Amino acid sequence: MGWNERLDELSTMRTEAAQGGGPARITAQHDRGKQTARERIAKLVDPGSFQELDAFAQHRCHDFGMEQSRTLGDGVVAGSGLVDGRPIHLYAQDFTVLGGSLGETVAAKICKVMDLALRHGTPLVALNDSGGARIQEGVLALAGYADIFYRNTRASGVIPQLSVILGPCAGGAVYSPGLTDFILMAEGTSHMFITGPEVIKTVTGEEVSFEELGGAAAHASKSGVAHLTGADEDQTLELVRSLLAYLPANNLEDPPPRPTGDPADRRLDGLPELVPADGNLGYDVRELVRRVVDQGEFLEIHEQYARNIVVGFARHDGHPVGVVANQPAVLAGGLDCYATE
Amino acid sequence: MGWNERLDELSTMRTEAAQGGGPARITAQHDRGKQTARERIAKLVDPGSFQELDAFAQHRCHDFGMEQSRTLGDGVVAGSGLVDGRPIHLYAQDFTVLGGSLGETVAAKICKVMDLALRHGTPLVALNDSGGARIQEGVLALAGYADIFYRNTRASGVIPQLSVILGPCAGGAVYSPGLTDFILMAEGTSHMFITGPEVIKTVTGEEVSFEELGGAAAHASKSGVAHLTGADEDQTLELVRSLLAYLPANNLEDPPPRPTGDPADRRLDGLPELVPADGNLGYDVRELVRRVVDQGEFLEIHEQYARNIVVGFARHDGHPVGVVANQPAVLAGGLDCYATE
Amino acid sequence: MGWNERLDELSTMRTEAAQGGGPARITAQHDRGKQTARERIAKLVDPGSFQELDAFAQHRCHDFGMEQSRTLGDGVVAGSGLVDGRPIHLYAQDFTVLGGSLGETVAAKICKVMDLALRHGTPLVALNDSGGARIQEGVLALAGYADIFYRNTRASGVIPQLSVILGPCAGGAVYSPGLTDFILMAEGTSHMFITGPEVIKTVTGEEVSFEELGGAAAHASKSGVAHLTGADEDQTLELVRSLLAYLPANNLEDPPPRPTGDPADRRLDGLPELVPADGNLGYDVRELVRRVVDQGEFLEIHEQYARNIVVGFARHDGHPVGVVANQPAVLAGGLDCYATE
Amino acid sequence: MGWNERLDELSTMRTEAAQGGGPARITAQHDRGKQTARERIAKLVDPGSFQELDAFAQHRCHDFGMEQSRTLGDGVVAGSGLVDGRPIHLYAQDFTVLGGSLGETVAAKICKVMDLALRHGTPLVALNDSGGARIQEGVLALAGYADIFYRNTRASGVIPQLSVILGPCAGGAVYSPGLTDFILMAEGTSHMFITGPEVIKTVTGEEVSFEELGGAAAHASKSGVAHLTGADEDQTLELVRSLLAYLPANNLEDPPPRPTGDPADRRLDGLPELVPADGNLGYDVRELVRRVVDQGEFLEIHEQYARNIVVGFARHDGHPVGVVANQPAVLAGGLDCYATE
Amino acid sequence: MGWNERLDELSTMRTEAAQGGGPARITAQHDRGKQTARERIAKLVDPGSFQELDAFAQHRCHDFGMEQSRTLGDGVVAGSGLVDGRPIHLYAQDFTVLGGSLGETVAAKICKVMDLALRHGTPLVALNDSGGARIQEGVLALAGYADIFYRNTRASGVIPQLSVILGPCAGGAVYSPGLTDFILMAEGTSHMFITGPEVIKTVTGEEVSFEELGGAAAHASKSGVAHLTGADEDQTLELVRSLLAYLPANNLEDPPPRPTGDPADRRLDGLPELVPADGNLGYDVRELVRRVVDQGEFLEIHEQYARNIVVGFARHDGHPVGVVANQPAVLAGGLDCYATE
Amino acid sequence: MGWNERLDELSTMRTEAAQGGGPARITAQHDRGKQTARERIAKLVDPGSFQELDAFAQHRCHDFGMEQSRTLGDGVVAGSGLVDGRPIHLYAQDFTVLGGSLGETVAAKICKVMDLALRHGTPLVALNDSGGARIQEGVLALAGYADIFYRNTRASGVIPQLSVILGPCAGGAVYSPGLTDFILMAEGTSHMFITGPEVIKTVTGEEVSFEELGGAAAHASKSGVAHLTGADEDQTLELVRSLLAYLPANNLEDPPPRPTGDPADRRLDGLPELVPADGNLGYDVRELVRRVVDQGEFLEIHEQYARNIVVGFARHDGHPVGVVANQPAVLAGGLDCYATE
């Protein structure tokens, strides 16, 4: 085979891999209001910056006829890219391939980008959309989860880890997001729980909807599991980009400053009007925060959860700062066990 | 009380604190040819750069009727400022408040700026003008000295510590300057000794004046305690600024270079005329030093003490350098135990 | 004696020292097609940058009438200089002084520049041209070698050490080059071996010429001892300068980048034509290397030795890089024990 | 005053200090079924091993007529002692002195033993019995709590910290136990909560008893705050001694081994009878633990809390070991959020 | 299934695993004068001390009908044991299982014991008897070698690594022994080479026997690859035990002393008779070594190779020592390139 | 030459070296009440434990006819020995060889034992008895001093360094003792000064005797240079042994404990009688020290100097302890600048 034949073959494989589970499943994904792994990545990273790894990897399972069902790249798209010009590593589970189920090869691809993120000191972003462990691969799938969890704990405190839930995330799959620093969810299309409504009904007789049990709203307001939620996938991915702008690449670097035009020593008028001299009167501390920070830009974390405390990110003199404020408007700003979690 | 009343009250307190021990005592201080703590600070640091801490702190003593004599800020003014744009921490004892005596609260204020200087890695400048331990506070005053001495030793070798003696400094008060790197004294108005003329006369029958025992001239020439002396307070404070220009902020930084316009590789003519070929003939090595260093600027330390050796600071190629030179003009430059101290 | 007499005397000594072993021996050196130590240094370093050390040192031997034969500077010229503006330390053995033989003082001078190179973190270049140990100094000469070897091993991995063989290098003298990182030889005038042709003939009866046994060509192609060879002294010294440009000053620094004008992301056309699609066909990998690196500049090391592998230095995006490549044109690029040495 | 008078005076002060708040309050303490601070210490440490510190310290408050109410030693007894021959540091709040309230001097005494425990690397045992912050001392009392909390966090992970609740522990006083490693409570006489029944009734209208809200049983079974509970003070103090036997003195040492006579390699018979081959059948894993460990001795932690998991301390081959076991007898050993807390 | 059935099944599997490739292949192994992996281990370690790991692991290959040929334990026996009471880790390739070929699972088992050896700091002993890479597993087999080589290099300088060649060791299989510290071979039954006699004949036309090319004698005397050789397998394994007695467990420990009864300060008579005063006369330095060391015990390494130098292990005052001695009896003890390798 | 002749020659050299400067000079040394270097060493170390180094070294000077005056071992005896079974390194200057003058070879021998002491971590004891620099060797002698001073400073704080002055010690020779930890002098036969009586008379006209200027008594009482003095050489050497018993071998070890039979918790009666209750009455604190320490053994340092403070070594519970005590019997125990030196 000459060079041209080789390049032709490679090109064909690339085209096939880019199809994931094939047109029918992509259509089904779109019908659910969801995007494919590659469409999501394209919206997350700066245009043209995505570098894919292991695009042609396939699973090795021979049980249950699985050898008949092999897809180039298997159920995850993994690699690196830029967000606002800063490098990240990422992986996006591909629901069109065997329901995004996690097997040996999928785990190996994920572990490789986690290792690279840690070695290069970049944030790691996981776009989760998976039916859980690929049971045909048995203990190898479970061992794959273990490899991921181990890397989550090793990376904890070293690089920022963000989990974006964009579909089902159940059973063993929830532990990895639980070990990461931030969880973002898309309203309406994402769910997250260990045990689903059916099992709960069987065991306790209680009927609960998917949305009530593990939807974005439930996790944003009741459990506090979701730090940020977007109205849809696009907004959620945009939130990832916003959040990354406040985070350092790793624990040896500072987060990037960004000139905002607001003078650091500008005089703030009107605060006495905003904050009542009578300490018994409440007010919305978020208004105070917005006036103090650069350009009034404040990315609130856990906006719906533990509303008696307000936390989030903003900038001062262009430098990212964390904000923690009592919220007099809720429970008079008194702390409870939710606020201090 | 509304915001306006609160701000009014704060303003009143500031005005009161700025008065220190009150107009009568300020006048007395001026009559002695001395300035107040705040006047000295204003001359030491760059205009508008002083940030005061604990301006309203008061002592807690209830013995000997001391609860009747409480002054906002107590007997010391403490904070941070800039010298030639470089940050320092400082404290100035306020002789108008109970004679600048050192009690529990005074010591706590001093310790706070010492801790800050060490944490931030800035020089610490102490302007001493104190009658010594506040005996009404008994062992708490002495413990206050101990806290200061402990911090002097911890900071030693880490940040530069400068003591400026601008009034009496006697008894327990002399140990802290003794632990610092440089002591500067103002001629005529400052004294420094452990035991005063009265006690000496009682014990030994010897009569000695304050000036002879512990004046600037005596410490500059005989004891070597004073590294630099100024003709008056203003000149002494100016010497502090000159000295700081040669010192690093701390033991992790280099002292700041300053372009001087003198080429590093300029040719020095006339040296053979200056230095006699006959080794038995003396000459003033300071002239040699001045020709070698940038712009002929040489800040001599211990100018009157151990004159057979010449030490001080200058610049080479704009970088601060220490100078140590034998002085052939005095004792033929031979070293003795004073020179090597 | 006044200053002028002293300066005159010093000037006279400098002139004498610059003569090395005297005019007759310099002429003899030139007749052999060799240059003097100082001539070589002048070509190695940037003009005017050489700073000589111990120019007036003399040996202390009193045996065998050696006290009658003392030369200012003894048999080596040592000091520091700049190559492309970057500092190096160096020494050049002076064959005109007792055949460049190594005695106690020669070793001490060499050790001093080795110590300085290590302390300052600069490369060390040795210009070897010596008849070996000065046997009149007996064990002191051998101890001098030991001091040099010890420093070679201490400096190994810390600073680059280059040995340039520009005359005989035999017996104990070969161990120091053997411990350094690179050996360069001049064709025709340099030899390097432990035991010479005479001894070999005596012991084995075999006749072998100097050139066959230890000439530049033999060491470049057969033994692999010589990393680079020059057609003559000048070219060899120029190779030293070329090689230094790719090396860091020490193991804490990066080698210096140098903009080359070649874009890092330029497209390389014609590679399919260069590399045959048929893996059984060979091609010259050096051509491939030259196309990939900046400006096609490639300094090949061991060009004649183990030709089935190609190693050397080049630049990428202006940064020095090491190149290791299989050479399909020789032995089909298969590795053997010479290639992996 | 001669030596004898001095010793007499000291003796008188010791006697007075040993009385704490005086006989009446001691009787009241006993009537509540509680012991005095010194009685508790006597039972906690090895006989004769207690060394008291600051036995004569007094508070310095002059507000609210507090200067009339000063007791030698103030409201805490602090020092060091031995438990099974191993040194510990400890403090016991003295409820007979102003209700064991915490003021400036009490906090200073506590901080001193905490500093000593950390410096010497010994466990710290706190016997809590206090009405909370001494409000007459205002912000100084609160600052005292802050000093204690700071030391709790510094000591965390370095030395074992044990809190024994032997009376009320409310408001700001609960945070220090909350920062320590183990909390032990005496049933019937100890309570622990941030906000008491009265406030709860005022705010929520809900009536709840002291015992229900913060008694030993409630914290042992419902909140999990209490790790161990004793039927009375004596048993609780005995549990402290038992627990200390399993703990190292600090994070640089191993816990002390103690020969138990049980061979490390003894054969365990009867396990098949104990553990059902049918995995669906439950059994009490504590029986299995007792058979495996030395002498069947197992100190279970959180015995009543999260009973689906069994944790505690035992010995193997004489060495202390931690035990973590699923408990098939409760919820089939399944983990829930209580078990993993 | 009850406990008894489970234990029965386990027992059956153990029996099967212990058979390796089955009785026929074991007989064939014995017929070749070789022992099985388990027989060798039994002779290497102290009786009853071997602990096997992964005894039931199987390969996962589905290509070339390999799924029909799966053996419990696959082609290697791995675990830990004691030698003279000191722990080691070891693996023994099982030639009866697919010719001891190395596949994915075999490599995983080997890597596990290598990791354990490194973590525990014990020597690693490899008993090699393998036909090389299992080609049916393709690149996975080669990746397995890479995993082993990587661990060899990581362990190098940390723990002693010994390779015992007890059968064929060819192609990629030779690199791992080449990276270890010692290679021992059994005469007559072991061979070691990269390219075999057939390929050599094809390429060069040269005929060479297995024994000449890679037998124990050839590697002991000509190539120097084999450090020690035994007359048969038993003697070779005994040499492993002897060698381990001189080695430390790892680079943090000293090798174990062993009282020998020989006084450290005993007087050695007869040395003048042994060593000729005439330096031109040779003598066997090994006799001198034996007289000096404890009990005359000297384990010579490379006995047949570079016989002009004598190296090996012995004891002095009971402590293991390395011996390096010139051998005047061979080449007058002169060093050559073989001696210094 | 055969072995026997060689051993005979060696024996002859040993005998000659042991004679130092020869019988006449040994007699002269004895007549001055001084011992030879070897006699002193024999009394300092445990019998038979001295191991001499460089016993046959000779100087290399050819100026001033010095080549006619070469002695085996030159002017110093150096080596190692045991004191109470603990190893030390030592050197003893030999006054019988050229007046113990220090030249190149003498310095080299001294430096070797200093290096060994530092490498092995043993105390270093110097027995000084030297006329100073050997002026015939010029700058080489001075460089020898520099090498010694450099090692003194490197060893400072690492190993104990003791200087014993047993003869003249003047000019450059005093700096090394001045850099060591302890100086011991023998009364009557030792002197120590930089400039002698003659020069002083010339320069100042003042007449002062050797004894007044630099004798043991003067240095023990007035200058404080001598830490301990012995009535004669033997007692001085015995004091070295006593002092070493309290010192650790180096800064990584503890000083050796020695059971003394005194219980650590014994009750001390009679202290009230010893220490007056009236603080104005003085008493001898040394008596108090002796009662507190084991067996009343107290080695006082600087007994005659700064007598208002008492320092020295003793044992408590068998462990060496340092003692620092105010001495109420002298100057009421008040500190002055001598006491704090």
Side-chain angles (χ1 to χ4, degrees), chain D residues 1-4 6-7, chain F residues 271-272 275-277 279:
Chain D
M1 211 165 32
W3 282 117
N4 289 339
R6 291 189 190 184
L7 292 170
Chain F
L271 293 193
V275 183

Side-chain angles (χ1 to χ4, degrees), chain B residues 74-289:
Chain B
D74 210 342
V76 74
V77 181
S80 63
L82 302 176
V83 171
D84 291 336
R86 301 168 65 212
I88 66 166
H89 284 81
L90 66 92
Y91 67 86
Q93 293 176 319
D94 188 345
F95 196 78
T96 69
V97 178
L98 296 171
S101 61
L102 187 136
E104 183 187 21
T105 298
V106 170
K109 288 181 63 173
I110 291 174
C111 287
K112 184 184 281 188
V113 287
M114 295 180 83
D115 287 342
L116 288 169
L118 196 53
R119 191 175 306 164
H120 289 266
T122 74
L124 176 76
V125 177
L127 306 184
N128 296 69
D129 187 5
S130 161
R134 189 175 293 172
I135 53 177
Q136 298 94 328
E137 301 201 24
V139 74
L140 286 171
L142 299 185
Y145 275 126
D147 289 339
I148 294 170
F149 302 165
Y150 173 70
R151 280 162 178 80
N152 281 133
T153 56
R154 296 276 292 184
S156 185
V158 182
I159 53 171
Q161 299 182 85
L162 282 68
S163 296
V164 192
I165 315 298
L166 299 172
C169 180
V174 305
Y175 297 120
S176 173
L179 292 167
T180 61
D181 301 304
F182 292 97
I183 296 180
L184 299 93
M185 295 184 75
E187 287 168 22
T189 54
S190 70
H191 306 110
M192 195 174 178
F193 40 71
I194 297 185
T195 306
E198 304 84 356
V199 177
I200 289 178
K201 189 175 178 190
T202 306
V203 174
T204 69
E206 196 178 357
E207 290 202 29
V208 60
S209 72
F210 268 81
E211 201 61 29
E212 287 167 324
L213 183 64
H219 281 314
S221 61
K222 291 191 194 151
S223 73
V225 162
H227 297 81
L228 289 167
T229 60
D232 54 18
E233 290 201 358
D234 285 2
Q235 193 185 352
T236 308
L237 293 168
E238 192 53 44
L239 281 170
V240 175
R241 293 177 61 93
S242 299
L243 179 55
L244 284 171
Y246 293 108
L247 303 180
N250 53 62
N251 62 357
L252 294 177
E253 297 187 6
D254 291 322
R258 196 182 64 199
T260 58
D262 258 0
D265 56 354
R266 70 188 186 277
R267 181 170 178 85
L268 297 174
D269 294 314
L271 294 193
E273 289 73 28
L274 178 62
V275 183
D278 177 352
N280 288 323
L281 300 178
Y283 64 97
D284 187 351
V285 77
R286 289 181 295 194
E287 180 57 26
L288 182 59
V289 170

Side-chain angles (χ1 to χ4, degrees), chain B residues 272 275-277 279, chain C residues 1-3 6-7:
Chain B
V275 183
Chain C
M1 216 168 23
W3 281 117
R6 291 189 188 183
L7 291 171

